[in-house]
Amino acid sequence: MAPLSFSSRNLFSLFYKPRVIPFEFLGQHSSALFSTHIVGDTPILVRDFIHKSLYDPNVGYFSQKSASVGVLDRSIKFNQLQGRKAYMKHLDKIYKQSDVSWFTPVELFKPWYAHGIAEAILRTTNLSVPLKIYEIGGGSGTCAKGILDYIKLNAPTRIYDNISYTSVEISSSLAAKQIQTVGEVDSHLSKFRVECRDAADMSGWGDVNEQPCWVIMLEVLDNLPHDLIYSENQISPWTEVWVESKEGEKLSELYRPIQDSLIKSCMEIIDMPDATTGGSRVSSAMKSIWAKVFPKPRWCWLPTGCLKLLEVLHGALPKMSLIASDFSYLPDVKIPGERAPLVSTKKDGSSSDYNSYLDAKGDADIFFPTDFLLLEQMDHYCSGWMKLQKDDTSLKRGKKRRTLSLGTAAFMEEFGLPTKTRTKDGYNPLLDDFKNTKFYLSVPTHNIK
């Protein structure tokens, strides 16, 4: 991974979007109440624990009405700042004024961040048909407004006149905010609507839509629930991890044989064989000896929430084009396992990380790095390109998607206007400070013979 240009904690503060719950609220609920609401008497899979911890309507981290997404009153005038020191001072002032709010890149670099996305869409879409855009988790509506602004000013009039922009937002308060933001331009409102629902629920999409469209997901993948699998040592089989509540207070892990279909699919896509199978007898014997002498427990986090969402999107919108951006790497992760999350909360302006995801019971954010290679594999898998089947026929079939992963700097240099986020001395926070973030683009292809 490319090194960060400044402290990892500062980068986290700049980029991430938590909607923070005031600690006055947390004081009203005991850990027993959190545990009861989230787990109850029946064990649940880790992905369900994470989903409830983040989205439970009563105690979920993102579901509190008091939570907020940071919104800047005005765009930052980067060309009026001398350099990095002046930029950081300006950010510090913004954070103090906003109290508990955090800001996403699309907000910090508005309107230029959204304009880069809009340009990418215009360059790669078929403009002979009406442009239809879906945004998953649209936050405060800044991205939607920026894209609609750009298309109105830079695309042929007929493109703007016939555009349809739908935001699929799980938070009712954010849905209302999006309408307010987009409504700052009267002509946008007739082209924009919000559907307050869970995008991963297939029933919300209705009938299959065969029309070409775009799906945008900015900082969505990191908050999708993951599953956890565990193995005692290098040769023990993987097990599913469940969370159970003992006596209504203490949470602990429960290990069961792999049975869940989403977990199985993820393991198949990763090509993760059972630890007791595969390999030669000699290598298996060596592994067995090594495991006995140096036993090492193993954890692996699987993006089952992302897999489910992609399955739904490909099922509902089979001709969609996809653009997503997120973390490719997270610094200072304390929790073990490949693709492990940061579990973090904020108090008095400073962040603190938990050592266990089990400590997050509605009072902390849980967010994951995105394995962009795995994202590409899941995208191909959900599109119907069954490359995982071992028969020769399926291996010869062409992919149904053309995909590309780009670092944020490379994406913005190609599609954006980097000069707009450059300070007087040449420092550019959008290009220089987001080394651990990437964009993923995926468009359908006819190469399916």
Side-chain angles (χ1 to χ4, degrees), residues 345-394:
T345 190
K346 186 179 180 184
K347 184 178 181 181
D348 298 330
S350 61
S351 299
S352 59
D353 298 338
Y354 290 154
N355 293 317
S356 171
Y357 70 95
L358 293 176
D359 294 332
K361 307 183 187 76
D363 64 336
D365 199 358
I366 306 171
F367 54 105
F368 296 82
T370 295
D371 183 333
F372 279 80
L373 177 58
L374 177 54
L375 173 62
E376 181 184 37
Q377 292 172 325
M378 291 192 296
D379 187 23
H380 285 309
Y381 178 77
C382 294
S383 73
W385 181 52
M386 302 302 294
K387 67 172 184 176
L388 298 180
Q389 295 180 0
K390 303 305 181 182
D391 61 278
D392 293 337
T393 302
S394 66

Coordinates of all heavy atoms in Angstrom, one line a residue, residues 345-394:
T345 N -15.0 5.1 17.8 CA -16.0 6.1 18.3 C -15.3 7.4 18.5 O -14.0 7.5 18.5 CB -16.6 5.6 19.6 OG1 -17.8 6.5 19.9 CG2 -15.7 5.6 20.7
K346 N -16.0 8.5 18.7 CA -15.5 9.8 18.9 C -16.1 10.5 20.1 O -17.3 10.5 20.3 CB -15.7 10.6 17.6 CG -15.0 12.0 17.6 CD -15.4 12.7 16.3 CE -14.7 14.1 16.2 NZ -15.1 14.8 15.0
K347 N -15.2 11.1 20.9 CA -15.7 11.9 22.0 C -14.8 13.1 22.2 O -13.5 13.0 22.2 CB -15.6 11.0 23.3 CG -16.2 11.7 24.5 CD -16.2 10.8 25.7 CE -16.7 11.5 27.0 NZ -16.7 10.6 28.2
D348 N -15.4 14.2 22.5 CA -14.6 15.5 22.7 C -13.6 15.8 21.6 O -12.5 16.2 21.8 CB -13.9 15.4 24.0 CG -14.9 15.3 25.2 OD1 -16.0 15.8 25.1 OD2 -14.5 14.7 26.2
G349 N -14.0 15.4 20.3 CA -13.2 15.8 19.2 C -12.1 14.8 18.9 O -11.4 14.9 17.9
S350 N -11.9 13.7 19.7 CA -10.9 12.8 19.4 C -11.4 11.4 19.3 O -12.5 11.0 19.9 CB -9.8 12.8 20.6 OG -10.5 12.4 21.8
S351 N -10.8 10.6 18.4 CA -11.3 9.2 18.1 C -10.5 8.2 19.0 O -9.4 8.4 19.4 CB -11.0 8.9 16.6 OG -11.7 9.8 15.8
S352 N -11.2 7.1 19.3 CA -10.6 6.0 20.0 C -11.1 4.7 19.3 O -12.3 4.6 18.9 CB -11.0 6.0 21.5 OG -12.4 6.0 21.6
D353 N -10.2 3.7 19.2 CA -10.6 2.5 18.6 C -10.8 1.4 19.6 O -10.0 1.3 20.6 CB -9.5 2.1 17.6 CG -9.3 3.1 16.5 OD1 -10.2 3.9 16.2 OD2 -8.2 3.1 15.9
Y354 N -11.7 0.5 19.3 CA -11.9 -0.7 20.2 C -11.1 -1.8 19.7 O -10.7 -1.9 18.6 CB -13.4 -1.1 20.1 CG -14.4 -0.1 20.8 CD1 -15.7 -0.1 20.4 CD2 -14.0 0.7 21.8 CE1 -16.6 0.8 21.0 CE2 -14.9 1.6 22.4 CZ -16.2 1.6 22.0 OH -17.1 2.5 22.6
N355 N -10.8 -2.7 20.7 CA -10.0 -3.9 20.4 C -10.8 -5.1 19.8 O -10.2 -6.0 19.3 CB -9.2 -4.3 21.6 CG -8.1 -3.3 22.0 OD1 -7.4 -2.8 21.2 ND2 -8.0 -3.1 23.3
S356 N -12.1 -5.0 20.0 CA -13.0 -6.1 19.5 C -14.3 -5.5 18.9 O -14.8 -4.5 19.4 CB -13.3 -7.0 20.7 OG -14.4 -7.9 20.4
Y357 N -14.7 -6.1 17.9 CA -16.0 -5.7 17.3 C -17.2 -5.9 18.3 O -18.2 -5.3 18.2 CB -16.2 -6.4 16.0 CG -16.5 -7.9 16.1 CD1 -17.8 -8.4 16.1 CD2 -15.5 -8.8 16.2 CE1 -18.1 -9.7 16.3 CE2 -15.8 -10.2 16.3 CZ -17.1 -10.6 16.4 OH -17.4 -12.0 16.5
L358 N -17.0 -6.9 19.2 CA -18.1 -7.1 20.2 C -18.3 -6.0 21.1 O -19.4 -5.9 21.8 CB -17.7 -8.4 21.0 CG -17.7 -9.7 20.2 CD1 -17.2 -10.9 21.1 CD2 -19.0 -10.0 19.6
D359 N -17.3 -5.1 21.2 CA -17.5 -3.9 22.1 C -18.4 -2.9 21.5 O -18.8 -1.9 22.1 CB -16.1 -3.3 22.4 CG -15.3 -4.2 23.2 OD1 -15.8 -5.0 24.0 OD2 -14.0 -4.1 23.1
A360 N -18.7 -3.0 20.2 CA -19.5 -2.0 19.5 C -21.0 -2.5 19.6 O -21.4 -3.4 18.9 CB -19.1 -1.9 18.0
K361 N -21.7 -1.8 20.4 CA -23.1 -2.2 20.6 C -24.0 -0.9 20.4 O -24.9 -0.6 21.2 CB -23.3 -2.8 22.0 CG -22.4 -3.9 22.4 CD -22.7 -4.5 23.7 CE -21.7 -5.5 24.1 NZ -20.4 -4.9 24.6
G362 N -23.8 -0.2 19.3 CA -24.6 0.9 19.0 C -23.8 2.2 19.3 O -24.3 3.3 18.9
D363 N -22.7 2.2 19.9 CA -22.0 3.4 20.3 C -20.7 3.7 19.5 O -20.0 4.6 19.7 CB -21.6 3.4 21.8 CG -20.6 2.3 22.1 OD1 -20.6 1.3 21.3 OD2 -19.9 2.4 23.1
A364 N -20.5 2.8 18.4 CA -19.3 3.0 17.6 C -19.5 2.5 16.2 O -20.4 1.7 15.9 CB -18.1 2.1 18.2
D365 N -18.7 3.1 15.3 CA -18.8 2.7 13.9 C -18.0 1.5 13.7 O -17.0 1.3 14.3 CB -18.3 3.9 13.1 CG -18.7 3.8 11.6 OD1 -19.4 2.8 11.3 OD2 -18.4 4.7 10.8
I366 N -18.4 0.7 12.7 CA -17.7 -0.5 12.3 C -17.5 -0.4 10.8 O -18.5 -0.4 10.0 CB -18.4 -1.8 12.6 CG1 -18.8 -1.8 14.1 CG2 -17.6 -3.0 12.2 CD1 -19.8 -3.0 14.4
F367 N -16.2 -0.2 10.3 CA -16.0 -0.1 8.9 C -14.8 -0.8 8.4 O -13.8 -1.0 9.1 CB -16.0 1.4 8.5 CG -15.0 2.2 9.2 CD1 -13.8 2.6 8.6 CD2 -15.2 2.6 10.5 CE1 -12.9 3.4 9.3 CE2 -14.3 3.4 11.2 CZ -13.1 3.8 10.6
F368 N -14.9 -1.3 7.2 CA -14.0 -2.3 6.6 C -13.2 -1.7 5.4 O -13.7 -0.9 4.7 CB -14.8 -3.5 6.2 CG -15.4 -4.3 7.2 CD1 -16.7 -3.9 7.7 CD2 -14.9 -5.4 7.8 CE1 -17.3 -4.6 8.7 CE2 -15.5 -6.2 8.8 CZ -16.8 -5.7 9.2
P369 N -12.0 -2.2 5.2 CA -11.3 -1.9 3.9 C -12.0 -2.7 2.8 O -12.6 -3.8 3.1 CB -9.9 -2.4 4.2 CG -10.1 -3.5 5.1 CD -11.2 -3.2 6.0
T370 N -11.9 -2.3 1.6 CA -12.4 -3.0 0.4 C -11.3 -3.6 -0.3 O -10.3 -3.0 -0.7 CB -13.2 -2.0 -0.5 OG1 -14.3 -1.5 0.2 CG2 -13.6 -2.7 -1.8
D371 N -11.4 -4.9 -0.5 CA -10.5 -5.7 -1.3 C -11.0 -5.5 -2.7 O -11.9 -6.2 -3.2 CB -10.5 -7.2 -0.8 CG -9.5 -8.0 -1.6 OD1 -9.1 -7.7 -2.8 OD2 -9.0 -9.1 -1.1
F372 N -10.3 -4.7 -3.5 CA -10.9 -4.3 -4.8 C -10.7 -5.5 -5.8 O -11.5 -5.6 -6.7 CB -10.2 -3.1 -5.3 CG -10.8 -1.8 -4.8 CD1 -10.5 -1.4 -3.5 CD2 -11.8 -1.1 -5.5 CE1 -11.1 -0.2 -3.0 CE2 -12.4 0.0 -5.0 CZ -12.0 0.5 -3.7
L373 N -9.7 -6.3 -5.6 CA -9.6 -7.5 -6.5 C -10.8 -8.5 -6.2 O -11.4 -9.0 -7.1 CB -8.3 -8.2 -6.3 CG -8.1 -9.5 -7.0 CD1 -8.2 -9.3 -8.5 CD2 -6.8 -10.2 -6.7
L374 N -11.1 -8.6 -4.9 CA -12.2 -9.5 -4.5 C -13.6 -8.9 -5.0 O -14.5 -9.6 -5.4 CB -12.2 -9.7 -3.0 CG -13.4 -10.5 -2.5 CD1 -13.5 -11.9 -3.2 CD2 -13.2 -10.7 -1.0
L375 N -13.7 -7.5 -4.9 CA -14.9 -6.8 -5.4 C -15.1 -7.1 -6.9 O -16.2 -7.4 -7.3 CB -14.7 -5.3 -5.2 CG -15.8 -4.4 -5.8 CD1 -17.2 -4.7 -5.1 CD2 -15.4 -3.0 -5.6
E376 N -14.0 -7.1 -7.6 CA -14.1 -7.4 -9.1 C -14.5 -8.8 -9.3 O -15.4 -9.1 -10.2 CB -12.7 -7.2 -9.7 CG -12.7 -7.5 -11.2 CD -11.4 -7.3 -11.8 OE1 -10.4 -7.7 -11.2 OE2 -11.3 -6.8 -13.0
Q377 N -14.0 -9.8 -8.5 CA -14.4 -11.2 -8.7 C -15.9 -11.4 -8.3 O -16.6 -12.1 -9.0 CB -13.5 -12.0 -7.7 CG -12.0 -12.1 -8.2 CD -11.2 -12.8 -7.2 OE1 -11.4 -12.7 -6.0 NE2 -10.2 -13.5 -7.7
M378 N -16.3 -10.7 -7.3 CA -17.7 -10.8 -6.9 C -18.6 -10.2 -7.9 O -19.7 -10.7 -8.2 CB -18.0 -10.2 -5.5 CG -17.3 -10.9 -4.4 SD -17.9 -10.4 -2.7 CE -17.2 -8.7 -2.7
D379 N -18.2 -9.1 -8.5 CA -19.0 -8.4 -9.5 C -19.1 -9.4 -10.7 O -20.3 -9.5 -11.3 CB -18.2 -7.2 -9.9 CG -19.0 -6.3 -10.9 OD1 -20.3 -6.4 -11.0 OD2 -18.4 -5.5 -11.6
H380 N -18.1 -10.0 -11.2 CA -18.1 -10.9 -12.3 C -19.0 -12.1 -11.9 O -19.9 -12.6 -12.7 CB -16.8 -11.5 -12.7 CG -15.9 -10.5 -13.4 ND1 -16.4 -9.8 -14.5 CD2 -14.7 -10.0 -13.2 CE1 -15.5 -9.0 -15.0 NE2 -14.4 -9.1 -14.2
Y381 N -18.9 -12.6 -10.7 CA -19.7 -13.8 -10.3 C -21.2 -13.5 -10.3 O -22.0 -14.2 -10.8 CB -19.2 -14.2 -8.8 CG -19.9 -15.3 -8.2 CD1 -19.7 -16.6 -8.6 CD2 -20.9 -15.1 -7.2 CE1 -20.3 -17.7 -8.0 CE2 -21.6 -16.2 -6.6 CZ -21.3 -17.4 -7.0 OH -22.0 -18.5 -6.5
C382 N -21.5 -12.3 -9.7 CA -22.9 -12.0 -9.6 C -23.5 -11.6 -11.0 O -24.8 -11.6 -11.1 CB -23.1 -10.8 -8.6 SG -22.7 -11.2 -6.9
S383 N -22.7 -11.2 -11.9 CA -23.2 -10.8 -13.3 C -23.6 -12.1 -14.1 O -24.2 -12.0 -15.1 CB -22.1 -10.1 -14.0 OG -21.1 -10.9 -14.4
G384 N -23.3 -13.3 -13.6 CA -23.6 -14.5 -14.3 C -22.5 -15.1 -15.0 O -22.7 -16.2 -15.6
W385 N -21.3 -14.6 -14.9 CA -20.1 -15.2 -15.6 C -19.6 -16.3 -14.6 O -18.9 -16.0 -13.7 CB -19.0 -14.1 -15.9 CG -17.8 -14.7 -16.5 CD1 -17.8 -15.5 -17.6 CD2 -16.5 -14.6 -16.1 NE1 -16.5 -15.9 -18.0 CE2 -15.7 -15.3 -17.1 CE3 -15.8 -13.9 -15.1 CZ2 -14.3 -15.4 -17.0 CZ3 -14.5 -14.0 -15.0 CH2 -13.7 -14.7 -15.9
M386 N -20.0 -17.5 -14.8 CA -19.7 -18.6 -13.9 C -18.3 -19.1 -14.1 O -18.1 -20.3 -14.4 CB -20.7 -19.7 -14.0 CG -22.2 -19.2 -13.8 SD -22.4 -18.4 -12.2 CE -22.1 -19.8 -11.1
K387 N -17.3 -18.3 -13.9 CA -15.9 -18.7 -14.1 C -15.5 -19.7 -13.0 O -14.5 -20.4 -13.1 CB -15.0 -17.5 -14.0 CG -14.9 -16.8 -12.7 CD -13.8 -15.8 -12.7 CE -13.7 -15.1 -11.3 NZ -12.6 -14.2 -11.2
L388 N -16.3 -19.7 -11.9 CA -15.9 -20.6 -10.8 C -16.2 -22.1 -11.1 O -15.7 -22.9 -10.4 CB -16.6 -20.2 -9.5 CG -16.3 -18.7 -9.1 CD1 -17.0 -18.4 -7.8 CD2 -14.8 -18.6 -8.8
Q389 N -17.1 -22.3 -12.0 CA -17.3 -23.7 -12.4 C -16.1 -24.3 -13.1 O -15.5 -23.6 -13.9 CB -18.6 -23.8 -13.3 CG -19.8 -23.4 -12.6 CD -21.1 -23.5 -13.5 OE1 -20.9 -23.9 -14.6 NE2 -22.2 -23.1 -12.9
K390 N -15.8 -25.5 -12.9 CA -14.6 -26.1 -13.4 C -14.7 -26.7 -14.7 O -13.7 -27.2 -15.3 CB -14.0 -27.1 -12.3 CG -13.8 -26.5 -10.9 CD -12.9 -25.3 -11.0 CE -12.7 -24.7 -9.6 NZ -11.8 -23.5 -9.6
D391 N -15.9 -26.7 -15.3 CA -16.0 -27.3 -16.6 C -15.4 -26.4 -17.7 O -15.4 -25.2 -17.6 CB -17.5 -27.6 -17.0 CG -18.3 -26.3 -17.0 OD1 -18.7 -25.9 -15.9 OD2 -18.5 -25.8 -18.1
D392 N -14.9 -27.0 -18.8 CA -14.2 -26.2 -19.8 C -15.1 -25.2 -20.5 O -14.7 -24.2 -20.9 CB -13.6 -27.2 -20.8 CG -12.5 -28.0 -20.3 OD1 -11.9 -27.6 -19.2 OD2 -12.3 -29.1 -20.8
T393 N -16.4 -25.5 -20.6 CA -17.3 -24.7 -21.3 C -17.4 -23.3 -20.7 O -17.3 -22.3 -21.3 CB -18.7 -25.3 -21.4 OG1 -18.6 -26.6 -22.1 CG2 -19.7 -24.4 -22.2
S394 N -17.6 -23.3 -19.3 CA -17.7 -22.1 -18.6 C -16.5 -21.2 -18.6 O -16.5 -20.0 -18.7 CB -18.2 -22.3 -17.2 OG -17.2 -23.0 -16.5

